[in-house]
Amino acid sequence: MKKTFELTHPKIKVARMIESAKHEVKKYLKRERNKTLPEGADYWDFDCKIGKTEQTADVIHVTTISQEIDTILAEDTTSFYLEILVKPATRTFEEKEL
């Protein structure tokens, strides 16, 4: 998903547009996680970027998307760019030393 979310609309308030964008992101993540994993993969990993524009987007962790949206909107912007790329991944375990 590579999308620029516009937060201005003549009839819809900004708070509702923000909630709509967050809901769309959650729905996309759920849909991608439910897809069948390829052979040898344990889970779906996500590479995420967010920023005011595509050129100024910074890499973030998938769990902080909602917080980063709130941070960007605190700066009085009318739109933001969000990129979420899905890739299969395998868990790695580290041995604990006793």
Side-chain angles (χ1 to χ4, degrees):
M1 168 196 263
K2 295 181 182 180
K3 186 172 181 178
T4 300
F5 291 91
E6 295 293 331
L7 303 174
T8 56
H9 192 275
K11 294 184 179 181
I12 303 173
K13 296 184 180 183
V14 176
R16 181 68 183 118
M17 296 292 287
I18 294 167
E19 291 303 317
S20 175
K22 288 180 181 180
H23 176 72
E24 187 175 337
V25 169
K26 287 179 186 177
K27 190 167 68 170
Y28 176 77
L29 292 173
K30 182 177 180 181
R31 187 176 353 142
E32 292 299 317
R33 284 183 177 130
N34 286 331
K35 288 185 177 179
T36 306
L37 284 166
E39 194 69 30
D42 293 331
Y43 68 101
W44 290 110
D45 193 15
F46 299 95
D47 293 332
C48 305
K49 289 184 181 181
I50 192 168
K52 292 182 182 179
T53 64
E54 185 175 357
Q55 292 77 24
T56 62
D58 295 324
V59 176
I60 61 168
H61 192 267
V62 69
T63 58
T64 62
I65 290 175
S66 183
Q67 296 164 353
E68 292 294 329
I69 290 173
D70 292 336
T71 303
I72 287 176
L73 297 175
E75 301 169 4
D76 293 329
T77 59
T78 58
S79 66
F80 66 93
Y81 173 78
L82 180 65
E83 178 179 320
I84 303 173
L85 301 176
V86 183
K87 63 180 180 183
T90 305
R91 283 183 171 56
T92 57
F93 298 100
E94 294 180 9
E95 297 268 337
K96 291 186 177 178
E97 294 182 24
L98 298 175

